[in-house]
Amino acid sequence: MHSKWGLMCGALVGASFLALDPAAAQSVSDSEKIERLQRATEQLQKQLKTLQDEIAQTKKQTEKVEAKVEAAPARYPAPPPMVTKGPPPPPPPERVKVTLGGFIAAETVWRQHNMVNDMGTAFATTPFPFSPLYNEHEFHGSARQSRISLLVEGNIDPWQKLSGYYESDFLGVGNTSNFNETNSWAARLRHAYFTYDNSGWGFHFLAGQSWSLLTQNQVGITPRKENIPLTIDANYVVGFNYVRQWQIRAVGDVFPGISLGVSVENPAAIFLGSTATAPLGTGGAFPSGGIVNGTVVNFVNTGGGGDFLQNVNVTTDQAPDIIEKAAFDPGWGHYEIYGLQRFFSDNTLRCIAGLCTAGSTTMVGTTDNKTTFGAGVGGSVLLPLIPKYLELTASGLYGRGVGRYAAGQLPDVTIGPDGSLSLVRGWSAMAGLVGHPWEGLDVYAYAGLEEVQPNFFNVGTTLFGLGNPGFSNAGCLITTPFSFAGNTPANCIANNRRLSDVTVGFWQNVYKGDYGRVAVGAQYEYIKREVFEGVGGAPSTDNNIVLTSLRYYPF
């Protein structure tokens, strides 16, 4: 290609000299000049044509090579960016923040009367003297309340935020859990939920398992800002209104210092009903599958067949609980009012030929789902009596079918004459003082009470319900070989009427610094259980409990 460019340039130069040289012009005739110029021009045109063809061919080959290079994978990484002088560029904005939490606990519990409860007290099961547990003490050392938590927060923009929170401890019980050798206790889900917050709209959304909306908050209606008693006891205090369960919650900040919320939450029912025969009043618990007025009643089912609720009793609920709440923060103190609606369902069978008889395999009938509506109202206050040094907390709940929403777990419903679930009227209350005499020391005292009213009926000499005065309590204070073998005597029906609790304790930091925090705590608790009066009177029982805790908070 370079030679052709040379020939063409030479021909152009030669033609120029011929045209400009006068001597040559004199020796050559005009016709010869013209002929020579024509031949030179034709030669230049041929060379130009050849050159254009070569350029076109080269262009096509170049395009093919470039297409192959673009389609082929890169064999070598891109060169690093050029290093320039000056400060490094700022990091990208933080999108997701992860915060670990929890603590490691080494704790003990001692009870005057054995309740086989470990670190959480089932207040409603304090034993009577008929039981061998009454004359046994209980001691356990446990790390089961050790806790793990994970908080993930993502800022969509300056106003919108997504968060997820998970928390668990080891108070669950596996199929082979025991104190004998490895103390292999199962992890237990406490919290698992996500939230969406929009500060521009004043809107907050929560979905998952968390403290019920009914549980008292410290400020507003804010997750992870609940006002939980400081007790070592994992079941807190009699009268404390709480459950942890699935829910979908929406909250709006309608005015400064005023928040309104509503949630739908997972249902469950606490049933307590008994049946006995007059005049002695001996009997026992009314079971699911029992018969009242010839109607068979089913209000609880047991998971089986390898499913995820193996051997777990589940009540026949068909609709979620609904809770509304208003919170006020006027500048001094925190105030709440709330409402609760519940739907209790059971399934009944009425035989066509007459009254159903227990165990019959020949009688047939029709089934019917019955639903009873329950409701309650309540409120709470949190008052800084001496700011930063002393605060007062109090809460209460009253209604029909509200027992499950307090720590004592008194009944929501009992059996009704038509086989439906009949509501139990009750109330719960708790008050406490929390002091901070100096930095690192918290001192607390709480008192709580829960109570239900009787709900009963009779069919001839057969007695039904809760708190029936014909039920016998004569054997509750007597120990027999039958009862000492772990059986409940037929003359100790002992339907719970009232639970009360007084507890005091403290937490003291022994280290707080760059490597976390270590705290030591102790608690004394007195609980009392009272039952409805019946044949033989209204016996009561109580318990004294001492708990200690040493906890390390690494985060």
Side-chain angles (χ1 to χ4, degrees):
M1 182 175 175
H2 292 293
S3 61
K4 287 183 169 58
W5 272 106
L7 289 174
M8 187 174 69
C9 293
L12 289 171
V13 172
S16 301
F17 283 162
L18 287 174
L20 298 175
D21 188 3
Q26 291 178 359
S27 60
V28 180
S29 64
D30 292 336
S31 60
E32 289 177 339
K33 293 178 183 178
I34 294 171
E35 185 177 353
R36 288 178 182 178
L37 287 172
Q38 288 177 344
R39 286 198 300 270
T41 300
E42 291 174 356
Q43 187 176 5
L44 286 173
Q45 289 177 343
K46 290 179 181 179
Q47 292 176 349
L48 182 61
K49 179 67 169 60
T50 302
L51 183 61
Q52 290 175 340
D53 292 341
E54 288 182 355
I55 292 173
Q57 184 66 24
T58 302
K59 184 177 180 181
K60 291 180 180 180
Q61 292 176 353
T62 301
E63 292 175 349
K64 291 181 180 179
V65 171
E66 289 177 347
K68 290 181 179 179
V69 170
E70 291 177 355
R75 295 186 179 181
Y76 303 100
M82 183 179 297
V83 179
T84 58
K85 294 183 179 180
E94 187 177 50
R95 292 291 184 180
V96 176
K97 178 183 177 182
V98 178
T99 304
L100 297 176
F103 56 82
I104 298 171
E107 300 176 328
T108 67
V109 57
W110 179 89
R111 293 184 176 90
Q112 179 187 9
H113 306 299
N114 192 357
M115 298 180 67
V116 199
N117 276 173
D118 203 274
M119 299 309 302
T121 303
F123 304 113
T125 62
T126 304
F128 278 102
F130 77 81
S131 170
L133 298 176
Y134 187 82
N135 288 314
E136 300 170 359
H137 302 320
E138 178 182 15
F139 173 84
H140 295 295
S142 176
R144 296 175 64 191
Q145 212 165 179
S146 298
R147 195 172 299 172
I148 302 171
S149 67
L150 176 67
L151 172 63
V152 181
E153 300 171 283
N155 295 313
I156 301 174
D157 55 38
W159 301 276
Q160 300 181 92
K161 181 179 181 180
L162 286 172
S163 302
Y165 185 71
Y166 170 85
E167 182 180 292
S168 67
D169 60 24
F170 298 90
L171 290 171
V173 179
N175 291 333
T176 59
S177 296
N178 60 70
F179 287 108
N180 295 343
E181 185 175 13
T182 61
N183 288 260
S184 303
W185 302 103
R188 180 183 71 157
L189 180 65
R190 288 173 58 88
H191 298 276
Y193 63 85
F194 76 90
T195 60
Y196 167 77
D197 298 285
N198 191 314
S199 59
W201 295 349
F203 174 76
H204 312 277
F205 175 83
L206 181 149
Q209 177 169 310
S210 182
W211 300 104
S212 170
L213 179 63
L214 183 140
T215 305
Q216 184 186 34
N217 291 93
Q218 297 174 0
V219 60
I221 305 177
T222 307
R224 300 183 302 281
K225 289 292 185 179
E226 293 83 8
N227 189 37
I228 309 303
L230 300 181
T231 60
I232 301 171
D233 194 315
N235 204 23
Y236 309 108
V237 183
V238 168
F240 174 51
N241 298 130
Y242 89 99
V243 292
R244 288 189 302 268
Q245 61 189 5
W246 172 94
Q247 62 193 273
I248 294 179
R249 176 196 303 181
V251 175
D253 301 326
V254 293
F255 294 105
I258 301 178
S259 300
L260 301 178
V262 62
S263 68
V264 292
E265 305 193 7
N266 194 58
I270 298 179
F271 175 93
L272 180 58
S274 301
T275 183
T277 303
L280 296 179
T282 56
F286 183 87
S288 181
I291 296 178
V292 54
N293 278 329
T295 300
V296 186
V297 182
N298 183 69
F299 53 84
V300 66
N301 299 298
T302 302
D307 59 17
F308 294 107
L309 291 172
Q310 184 74 28
N311 298 324
V312 176
N313 291 331
V314 182
T315 52
T316 54
D317 306 288
Q318 300 185 32
D321 294 348
I322 302 173
I323 301 175
E324 306 86 17
K325 185 176 187 176
F328 307 90
D329 295 280
W332 188 80
H334 174 75
Y335 311 86
E336 298 179 355
I337 56 174
Y338 37 79
L340 168 67
Q341 298 85 46
R342 308 186 64 191
F343 307 88
F344 302 97
S345 298
D346 67 351
N347 190 16
T348 62
L349 171 69
R350 296 186 64 86
C351 294
I352 297 175
L355 301 180
C356 296
T357 57
S360 173
T361 59
T362 58
M363 302 182 74
V364 295
T366 58
T367 60
D368 182 27
N369 286 315
K370 298 181 181 295
T371 299
T372 305
F373 176 75
V377 294
S380 67
V381 296
L382 179 60
L383 304 176
L385 300 181
I386 305 176
K388 298 183 180 180
Y389 289 97
L390 182 65
E391 57 199 41
L392 167 70
T393 180
S395 61
L397 177 65
Y398 173 84
R400 300 200 306 161
V402 299
R404 183 172 78 97
Y405 281 85
Q409 299 284 278
L410 291 181
D412 299 313
V413 290
T414 188
I415 190 64
D418 62 349
S420 64
L421 298 179
S422 183
L423 298 171
V424 174
R425 189 185 303 272
W427 62 278
S428 58
M430 186 202 75
L433 288 171
V434 179
H436 318 282
W438 56 78
E439 185 178 358
L441 174 63
D442 297 321
V443 181
Y444 58 85
Y446 299 101
L449 190 68
E450 298 179 34
E451 185 174 326
V452 291
Q453 295 182 358
N455 184 349
F456 59 87
F457 64 95
N458 302 328
V459 180
T461 59
T462 305
L463 316 176
F464 294 95
L466 173 73
N468 194 313
F471 291 161
S472 177
N473 297 324
C476 294
L477 305 180
I478 302 172
T479 308
T480 66
F482 176 81
S483 68
F484 200 75
N487 302 302
T488 300
N491 59 349
C492 181
I493 293 181
N495 289 159
N496 286 333
R497 173 175 173 260
R498 181 188 295 130
L499 301 173
S500 53
D501 182 353
V502 175
T503 188
V504 295
F506 73 90
W507 288 101
Q508 172 66 61
N509 288 343
V510 296
Y511 170 80
K512 185 177 182 181
D514 296 337
Y515 301 99
R517 178 170 67 96
V518 177
V520 61
Q523 176 189 350
Y524 166 75
E525 185 172 22
Y526 173 78
I527 55 177
K528 186 175 183 179
R529 173 189 176 193
E530 301 173 75
V531 302
F532 287 101
E533 186 169 1
V535 177
S540 64
T541 185
D542 57 11
N543 212 340
N544 292 280
I545 306 171
V546 177
L547 305 100
T548 67
S549 179
L550 182 63
R551 295 181 180 180
Y552 171 49
Y553 297 80
F555 306 107

